[in-house]
Amino acid sequence: MSSSQGSLESSQDSAKSKEPVKVKKIFRSKNARVAELQKKPTLQKSPSKAVYNVRSTWQADIDEEERKKREADGPPKLTPAPPSKTAKKPTSSREGSPAEMPHLVRAVHWGNRDGDDAYTSVHVHKEHKELYTVVKNVKEAHEVQEHGETQEFADDIEYLLAGLKEGEPMSTRCLSCIGLAQKCISASFRMHLRAHGTVTVIFGSLQDAGSDPSLALCTALMMFMLSRDRLNMDLDKSSLNLMLRLMEVDNQNNDGGMTAAGKRALNRNIERAKEVYFQLQKEEGKENQTDLESVSTGNLAMESLLSLTSRGAGEWFKEELRTLGALDHIVDTVCSCIQAIGDDTTLLYDSTLENIKKTDRCLRVLENVIFVNTENQTYLMSYKSGIIGSSCCRALEICQKFLPIYPLPDGPKLDKESYGYVVYKSILAILSVLLNLTHENEFACTKVGEQEDFISTVLTAILQTPQYVPQDLRYDILILSLGLLINLVEHCGVNRRKVLDSKTHRSFEFDCLGNKNTVPAAKALVEVFCKRFETAKTMDEQDFSQESTTPQQSPNKSGEWKESESGVEWIVNSAKKNKSDQKANGDVEERLKPGSKEEDLADEETFAKALQKAGKHMENSIVASYIALLLGCVIQDNTVFVNQVKEHLPSGNFDDMIMILKKFLSFMSLTTAVGSSGGKSIGHVIEVLESC
């Protein structure tokens, strides 16, 4: 041992007399071990490998050989060295006890002002801060999920868009387009596409889709999937032009220019498109319903266009359809389908039914495009000398011949796939298009009225056709037919003369025996007016008699519909009104009773019944008003016509027509359902009738 070591031992011996020597124990308690672990760790070397050994800061570093020698001699006798400036003395609850484990303290901080949210913070003692890692700006669970969904969407779009580029093989582009359509079954994915402006990017990469039948089909499927939402597809002009070009692809494929490999690829993609289409139907809960008779490029593109136009398309959209030639294509399609039906109306074949369905879809597009759009109305009536008018007149005549063969039966559930319902829908579509074409358009009224026997066809739709459909569906045919006839005679004197000179059968409501004798059109219309007017009047008298004789039979009744000079109003029950007035004045103290909920339910049921009864009452009143308006337009500016109509009226005057038209005008004004032009027309007819 060296002299320095001897001097060290002598100094240690002298220190024994002053304070007890702290001897390291071989067997230590658990608390002592925990306290030792809190001290600063040091790296101890080992002959085999370096290990992380936690040692006390009070023990000096000793060489490996000296450590082994001292372990052989026994526990070392150490004197604690003076603490360094950077060393931290562990805290303890009392002297001689080990240091406590670090613990966190959670504190809630409340806002100082109203509306401030409370927040929570976590504190740790400053001596233990180095044992923890502070992570700031931690996201909530919903934020992490949203970020993951956005990232997944971005990855899918990046991958699929890469396969849509023009340089990729055609099979790859078709698979990528089908993959996008598959993902568009999810409404959230479609919303992501719109939110990030990806729709125009997708169709921008598919501008050459019309050159390949398979890619055209996949592109049309993509458009169809995006058109399922109530929102618009956010199409630009180039995408709209692409949609219109896709409607022509089927005609190009029928020319026989496809190779055998192209036909196989097209059939394979048609099967894939059908799978996606039926998955969408299953998602929407329409597994047993098929809106398309076949999944083809033209049908999918037409359905997409129909969805766009049926949701309030802007004026720029209607104008683009006209300038890009979409109206020409739709009119040509309607004319070709009607021509393909032929003159055989004895039996409805599958091919004929397919042409009727296709005509119905095209006419619904035209109906939305020409609604309150004078430019499109004039363009359609001038296109190929007004061929759309003559085609619609012929289609209406054909459907009226098919409907008696396939009538719609009365029943709780209507089969919308039946032949009769398809024909019924087509009749409504034809009448709607003609109604919009002739709206305040004298040229269109003249062209349509020139068609052979068209006035008689419309009169048949009013007087005979409703008998082949259920009671609930007759109102639509009556109103559309009467509205069309009103447009034809309002601004055209030639059509007025044709109406009064026409001979027709009486309404099916009066001619139950099927008498084939004809009567003047004015007489048949007056009979319908009188019946509807008397029915509405009888319902009013019944309501009045029930109220006057048994006013206490319905204690829960909150009110009822009543017809007055100003229209139809909901009149609050007088008993309840008086009770509410007394309550407001402080005379009656109303308390909740156990039967109050039942009373409210009874009030709602009574209100629903009253509303249903008012609906039936209004149907009779509106039909009578339309007939009065029609006859008023016919007799204007011609005293001869006045006498011809008067001789068929039971009273010999127009008092009933004037009264019903005033109520009708008041009701339409209250519901804000009539424009300035419509109100002026009704007011003008009232003046004409009053002057006669």
Side-chain angles (χ1 to χ4, degrees):
M1 184 178 296
S2 61
S3 59
S4 60
Q5 293 176 349
S7 60
L8 177 60
E9 291 181 356
S10 60
S11 61
Q12 292 175 352
D13 294 336
S14 60
K16 289 180 181 179
S17 59
K18 298 181 180 180
E19 59 182 3
V21 179
K22 295 181 180 180
V23 181
K24 181 178 180 181
K25 297 181 180 180
I26 298 177
F27 301 100
R28 293 169 291 179
S29 65
K30 182 178 180 180
N31 293 334
R33 180 61 178 169
V34 171
E36 185 179 354
L37 289 176
Q38 305 305 321
K39 298 178 182 180
K40 183 176 180 180
T42 59
L43 187 63
Q44 182 182 3
K45 295 182 180 180
S46 173
S48 60
K49 60 180 181 178
V51 295
Y52 191 76
N53 187 16
V54 181
R55 300 181 60 190
S56 174
T57 56
W58 298 94
Q59 184 178 359
D61 294 335
I62 305 174
D63 295 336
E64 187 68 20
E65 296 180 358
E66 294 180 357
R67 185 186 64 79
K68 291 181 179 180
K69 182 178 180 181
R70 292 189 179 186
E71 287 180 356
D73 295 341
K77 301 177 181 180
L78 300 177
T79 302
S84 62
K85 296 181 180 180
T86 59
K88 297 181 180 179
K89 185 177 180 180
T91 58
S92 60
S93 58
R94 62 181 182 271
E95 186 177 358
S97 64
E100 297 180 355
M101 286 290 292
H103 59 277
L104 304 177
V105 179
R106 186 182 298 273
V108 179
H109 304 272
W110 300 95
N112 297 328
R113 296 175 297 181
D114 294 340
D116 292 346
D117 296 333
Y119 63 94
T120 305
S121 62
V122 180
H123 299 280
V124 64
H125 197 275
K126 61 181 180 179
E127 295 181 357
H128 302 145
K129 280 187 176 181
E130 59 184 10
L131 301 178
Y132 296 90
T133 301
V134 179
V135 181
K136 298 182 179 180
N137 301 325
V138 179
K139 294 183 178 181
E140 298 290 340
H142 67 90
E143 295 177 339
V144 176
Q145 182 180 3
E146 182 180 358
H147 176 74
E149 292 176 354
T150 305
Q151 186 63 40
E152 181 182 2
F153 161 79
D155 295 340
D156 292 342
I157 288 298
E158 182 180 1
Y159 172 74
L160 293 173
L161 285 180
L164 290 178
K165 296 180 180 179
E166 294 187 13
E168 298 295 329
M170 195 60 64
S171 58
T172 303
R173 300 180 70 185
C174 292
L175 286 175
S176 297
C177 196
I178 290 288
L180 277 172
Q182 181 82 27
K183 288 186 172 296
C184 284
I185 295 176
S186 172
S188 60
F189 189 85
R190 299 197 297 266
M191 188 62 67
H192 271 298
L193 288 179
R194 289 187 174 88
H196 295 273
T198 317
V199 175
T200 55
V201 178
I202 293 173
F203 294 132
S205 302
L206 296 170
Q207 286 298 317
D208 62 334
S211 60
D212 184 81
S214 296
L215 186 59
L217 174 66
C218 298
T219 305
L221 177 64
M222 183 67 189
M223 290 181 174
F224 176 78
M225 300 299 292
L226 290 174
S227 65
R228 295 302 90 196
D229 292 329
R230 295 184 179 275
L231 301 176
N232 288 334
M233 205 186 300
D234 301 331
L235 290 181
D236 54 1
K237 294 183 179 180
S238 61
S239 302
L240 179 60
N241 191 8
L242 173 62
M243 179 184 294
L244 300 178
R245 285 188 278 117
L246 293 177
M247 296 168 62
E248 298 286 350
V249 172
D250 291 340
N251 297 331
Q252 298 174 3
N253 295 338
N254 294 333
D255 296 339
M258 293 181 60
T259 61
K263 291 181 180 179
R264 288 195 298 270
L266 179 60
N267 293 332
R268 186 165 55 251
N269 286 299
I270 287 176
E271 294 301 323
R272 294 170 179 169
K274 286 182 178 180
E275 292 179 2
V276 176
Y277 174 71
F278 290 115
Q279 285 180 13
L280 176 66
Q281 284 193 326
K282 185 177 181 180
E283 183 73 18
E284 294 178 349
K286 303 177 181 179
E287 297 182 57
N288 298 326
Q289 300 180 12
T290 54
D291 298 330
L292 301 177
E293 70 280 356
S294 62
V295 177
S296 62
T297 304
N299 289 336
L300 291 172
M302 180 64 73
E303 288 294 327
S304 303
L305 183 61
L306 175 60
S307 299
L308 289 177
T309 56
S310 63
R311 292 174 187 145
E315 294 301 322
W316 74 269
F317 188 84
K318 298 178 181 179
E319 183 179 355
E320 286 297 322
L321 289 178
R322 184 178 70 251
T323 56
L324 293 176
L327 297 184
D328 301 354
H329 171 77
I330 296 174
V331 171
D332 293 340
T333 303
V334 171
C335 296
S336 61
C337 290
I338 295 174
Q339 186 177 3
I341 294 175
D343 298 329
D344 186 8
T345 57
T346 57
L347 188 62
L348 192 58
Y349 300 98
D350 292 339
S351 59
T352 305
L353 186 66
E354 181 179 348
N355 287 322
I356 292 177
K357 287 183 177 181
K358 193 170 185 179
T359 302
D360 177 39
R361 291 198 301 272
C362 293
L363 289 178
R364 281 189 288 163
V365 174
L366 291 180
E367 175 191 354
N368 298 324
V369 171
I370 64 179
F371 178 70
V372 196
N373 192 298
T374 308
E375 291 79 6
N376 287 346
Q377 293 173 5
T378 306
Y379 178 80
L380 287 179
M381 292 307 303
S382 61
Y383 177 71
K384 293 184 179 181
S385 301
I387 192 174
I388 184 63
S390 59
S391 298
C392 287
C393 295
R394 174 170 169 74
L396 180 60
E397 183 180 358
I398 291 173
C399 290
Q400 284 182 341
K401 292 180 179 179
F402 275 127
L403 195 57
I405 302 175
Y406 303 97
L408 290 177
D410 291 325
K413 188 175 182 181
L414 188 63
D415 184 10
K416 295 186 178 181
E417 298 299 324
S418 62
Y419 287 2
Y421 187 78
V422 173
V423 174
Y424 166 76
K425 282 180 56 182
S426 298
I427 291 176
L428 297 184
I430 294 167
L431 292 174
S432 299
V433 169
L434 292 174
L435 183 66
N436 288 341
L437 279 174
T438 57
H439 177 68
E440 296 186 357
N441 194 321
E442 185 176 354
F443 174 71
C445 294
T446 304
K447 294 290 291 185
V448 172
E450 289 177 354
Q451 305 302 319
E452 185 179 0
D453 296 332
F454 180 68
I455 298 296
S456 300
T457 303
V458 180
L459 289 172
T460 302
I462 298 172
L463 302 172
Q464 302 298 326
T465 304
Q467 65 180 312
Y468 303 111
V469 299
Q471 183 72 33
D472 297 338
L473 302 180
R474 295 175 182 176
Y475 177 76
D476 294 335
I477 292 181
L478 283 172
I479 292 302
L480 290 175
S481 303
L482 287 170
L484 174 59
L485 206 54
I486 290 171
N487 288 347
L488 292 177
V489 302
E490 185 178 5
H491 302 292
C492 184
V494 178
N495 292 336
R496 298 172 198 162
R497 169 65 67 180
K498 288 183 178 180
V499 170
L500 288 180
D501 293 343
S502 297
K503 298 289 184 178
T504 184
H505 297 286
R506 299 176 64 193
S507 174
F508 70 95
E509 298 176 333
F510 307 101
D511 194 5
C512 300
L513 300 178
N515 191 354
K516 296 183 178 181
N517 296 330
T518 59
V519 297
K523 181 178 180 179
L525 292 173
V526 167
E527 287 180 347
V528 177
F529 167 78
C530 294
K531 179 177 178 59
R532 297 284 179 165
F533 180 78
E534 290 297 330
T535 302
K537 186 177 179 181
T538 303
M539 294 179 67
D540 292 339
E541 293 176 354
Q542 290 177 353
D543 292 342
F544 179 77
S545 61
Q546 289 178 2
E547 180 184 359
S548 59
T549 56
T550 57
Q552 302 297 329
Q553 288 182 0
S554 301
N556 292 326
K557 194 172 182 180
S558 60
E560 61 181 347
W561 291 97
K562 284 188 177 181
E563 186 177 6
S564 61
E565 294 295 333
S566 60
V568 179
E569 300 176 328
W570 177 259
I571 307 300
V572 180
N573 191 308
S574 58
K576 287 202 167 192
K577 185 176 180 181
N578 295 335
K579 188 175 181 180
S580 61
D581 294 340
Q582 293 175 358
K583 182 180 178 181
N585 297 330
D587 298 334
V588 177
E589 182 181 359
E590 184 176 0
R591 297 181 181 179
L592 294 177
K593 298 180 180 180
S596 59
K597 291 185 178 180
E598 287 76 3
E599 184 179 355
D600 294 339
L601 292 175
D603 289 343
E604 292 179 3
E605 183 179 357
T606 304
F607 181 82
K609 291 181 179 179
L611 187 61
Q612 183 179 6
K613 186 176 181 180
K616 294 180 180 178
H617 174 269
M618 288 306 299
E619 285 187 8
N620 293 313
S621 299
I622 291 176
V623 171
S625 301
Y626 268 65
I627 296 177
L629 187 60
L630 170 62
L631 295 176
C633 290
V634 168
I635 66 176
Q636 61 181 339
D637 302 330
N638 197 317
T639 56
V640 178
F641 295 166
V642 173
N643 296 328
Q644 291 183 12
V645 174
K646 270 187 177 182
E647 67 182 10
H648 301 300
L649 289 169
S651 60
N653 55 54
F654 298 106
D655 293 344
D656 294 341
M657 292 186 178
I658 294 172
M659 183 179 66
I660 197 70
L661 283 177
K662 286 184 177 180
K663 292 181 179 180
F664 178 64
L665 179 61
S666 177
F667 174 76
M668 299 294 284
S669 301
L670 289 174
T671 57
T672 64
V674 61
S676 57
S677 59
K680 290 180 181 179
S681 299
I682 298 174
H684 174 68
V685 171
I686 293 175
E687 293 177 359
V688 170
L689 294 176
E690 289 178 342
S691 62
C692 295

